Amino acid sequence: MHGEHTDERSADSACVIDVDDLPDGLVVTDRDGHVLTVNRAATRLTGITQSQAAGRHLRDVFSFRDHDGRDWWKWLDTYGGLSTRTRQPELPLRTPGGQEMLVAARLVRRPERGGEIVRVVITMRDAGARARLERSRADLVSTVAHELRSPLTSVKGFTATLLAKWTRFTEDQKLVMLETVNADADRVTRLITELLDVSRIESGRLEIHRQVVDIPARARKIIAGRVAAGEAEDRFRLQVRGELPETWLDQDKIDQVLANLLENAVRHGRGTVTIVIEPNQWGVTVSVRDQGEGIPPELATRVFRQFWRGNARRRGGTGLGLFIVKGLIEAHGGTISVQRGPEGGAEFRFMVPTGTPDFA
C-alpha cells in the first residue's frame, strides 16, 4: 500500500506545472490586488522579483496604465461588473518606465459560475515582438507598392501605346516593346512568388516535399542557367569534396536556395563565385563564396532579415531573397550563416541533414 501511495503522489507531482516554467510573465493577486505570485518570466520583463512584490498592491509595484494613462487595475474593477465575467482580453499597457506589454487577466471565481472573485491571474508579454511584426508588415506593403508600380506602369504604357498606334511602329520596335512587357511581367510574377513564400514562412505553412536530391547536379543546373542567360562561364566554380550522403530534400526549394545565393553573390560580390559542397557529420554543407568586399561582422545578424539589400550603391531586388533562403533551409531542419570567406568576400554556408522517407 505504501508503494502505491508513493506512486500516486509521484504521478500527481509530475503533473504540477511550476509557474517559472511558463514562457509568459505571470502575476497572481488576491481579489483586492495584493500580489501573491510573480514568476521568473514576469521578473525578466519588469525587473520586479517575487520578494519585492509579495503582499504589495499591484498598482504599487507594476502600475499598468493604458495609452490614455488610466489605471488598469481600477478599470478592471474586480468588485463590479457582471458576476459571470471571468476574463479580461489582452490589451497593450505601459509601465511607469514606458515599457509596453500585452496584458490579459483571468478572474478566478468560487464557485466557478457566478461566485465571488478569489484571485486574479495576470499574464504579460513583451509587446516589442508585435510592434516589430507590425512594422515589418507595413514595410512589406510599402515595398510591394513600390516594386509593383514600376513594372505595371511599363506594361500599361507599352500595351496602350501598341494598341493605339500599332501600324505606326516597325516590327523591330514592336518586338522591343513586347520584350519589355514580357520582362516586366516576369518581374511581377517573381515578386508575387516571393510574397507568397514570405507569407508561408511567417505562418508556418511552408510544405516540404522530400525526395532524393543530388545537390551537385542541382548546382550545375543553376550555374548552366546563369551562363545561358549571359554570365561568363568562368565566373562560377563548383567544388565537391568527399563522398556525399544521400539527402532527402525538396528539389524545387533547394533550387530556389541555390539560385538566390548565386544571384546574391553576383549582384553584391565580385570575382569568381565558388560553390563548395562537402559532407559533415549529420548531412551536407554547401558554401557559396564570392571575392567582393564581404559583409562586416556587425551586419551579419541583419542579412537574413526582410528588406536587407546589402551594398546601398547596388540596390536591387526586394530584399526578401535571403529571408526566404533562411526560411527554406530551416524548414528542412537545417541552418544557414554568413561569414568572411577565405578570399575576402562573403561566404554563405548552409547545412541540411540527411533524411529518409520516414523523416520526410
Side-chain angles (χ1 to χ4, degrees):
M1 287 293 288
H2 179 73
E4 290 178 7
H5 287 305
T6 301
D7 291 343
E8 288 175 5
R9 283 195 300 270
S10 298
D12 290 342
S13 63
C15 295
V16 175
I17 299 175
D18 189 334
V19 295
D20 285 333
D21 293 336
L22 298 176
D24 291 339
L26 178 76
V27 176
V28 181
T29 75
D30 62 19
R31 66 172 298 184
D32 298 318
H34 296 101
V35 177
L36 303 174
T37 302
V38 177
N39 78 340
R40 192 175 296 152
T43 297
R44 283 198 303 270
L45 286 170
T46 65
I48 305 297
T49 65
Q50 167 74 16
S51 60
Q52 291 171 324
R56 299 174 63 189
H57 197 279
L58 182 78
R59 61 164 62 113
D60 294 331
V61 286
F62 295 107
S63 186
F64 297 124
R65 294 186 178 274
D66 66 15
H67 286 238
D68 296 322
R70 294 177 297 183
D71 183 333
W72 177 76
W73 180 263
K74 184 177 180 180
W75 183 77
L76 184 64
D77 189 14
T78 55
Y79 285 93
L82 297 174
S83 61
T84 55
R85 185 168 61 112
T86 59
R87 60 186 292 272
Q88 169 59 51
E90 189 173 71
L91 293 171
L93 302 176
R94 286 194 176 97
T95 63
Q99 182 181 10
E100 187 167 320
M101 287 186 290
L102 301 170
V103 179
R106 171 79 177 176
L107 308 178
V108 181
R109 296 179 178 273
R110 292 289 182 269
E112 186 174 345
R113 294 182 177 273
E116 290 188 355
I117 296 173
V118 295
R119 64 180 177 273
V120 180
V121 179
I122 301 162
T123 60
M124 60 184 75
R125 296 186 292 127
D126 184 1
R130 177 175 292 185
R132 287 191 295 273
L133 179 60
E134 291 174 352
R135 286 195 300 271
S136 175
R137 287 173 176 168
D139 289 342
L140 188 60
V141 171
S142 175
T143 298
V144 170
H146 175 76
E147 294 292 334
L148 284 177
R149 183 183 296 116
S150 177
L152 289 179
T153 299
S154 171
V155 168
K156 175 63 177 175
F158 280 119
T159 304
T161 300
L162 286 170
L163 288 173
K165 304 176 181 180
W166 179 266
T167 57
R168 299 185 188 182
F169 295 109
T170 66
E171 292 301 313
D172 288 343
Q173 289 173 326
K174 292 174 184 177
L175 180 61
V176 169
M177 291 185 184
L178 289 173
E179 286 176 341
T180 304
V181 168
N182 184 62
D184 284 330
D186 286 342
R187 181 177 166 189
V188 171
T189 300
R190 285 195 301 272
L191 176 60
I192 292 172
T193 300
E194 286 184 342
L195 294 175
L196 289 173
D197 286 337
V198 169
S199 174
R200 293 186 184 108
I201 289 168
E202 290 188 330
S203 64
R205 293 185 290 107
L206 192 66
E207 295 183 358
I208 300 296
H209 303 286
R210 294 181 186 270
Q211 64 186 80
V212 176
V213 173
D214 184 338
I215 298 178
R218 305 319 300 172
R220 293 187 188 98
K221 177 178 180 295
I222 300 300
I223 292 172
R226 294 203 66 96
V227 171
E231 295 282 353
E233 188 171 356
D234 60 2
R235 180 79 193 272
F236 304 98
R237 182 170 59 207
L238 176 63
Q239 298 178 0
V240 181
R241 300 174 179 173
E243 185 177 349
L244 301 178
E246 184 177 84
T247 52
W248 286 74
L249 309 166
D250 188 311
Q251 181 169 288
D252 291 339
K253 291 180 174 56
I254 290 301
D255 283 356
Q256 188 175 353
V257 167
L258 292 170
N260 278 4
L261 290 178
L262 258 67
E263 170 69 20
N264 183 75
V266 170
R267 184 188 296 273
H268 300 290
R270 291 196 302 268
T272 302
V273 176
T274 303
I275 303 176
V276 180
I277 305 173
E278 54 194 334
N280 61 52
Q281 62 182 355
W282 55 279
V284 174
T285 299
V286 180
S287 301
V288 179
R289 305 166 178 167
D290 63 64
Q291 298 172 325
E293 299 174 0
I295 297 171
E298 63 271 17
L299 298 181
T301 58
R302 304 181 191 176
V303 299
F304 298 108
R305 296 178 185 174
Q306 293 182 26
F307 314 118
W308 187 84
R309 287 187 173 89
N311 193 327
R313 293 172 296 175
R314 301 183 184 180
R315 289 176 66 86
T318 60
L320 297 173
L322 292 177
F323 173 83
I324 292 170
V325 164
K326 183 174 185 288
L328 296 178
I329 292 299
E330 290 180 347
H332 282 86
T335 60
I336 186 167
S337 61
V338 62
Q339 60 195 31
R340 189 169 184 81
E343 297 180 81
E347 176 180 343
F348 286 85
R349 175 181 294 181
F350 70 84
M351 293 181 283
V352 287
T354 57
T356 65
D358 293 335
F359 180 69

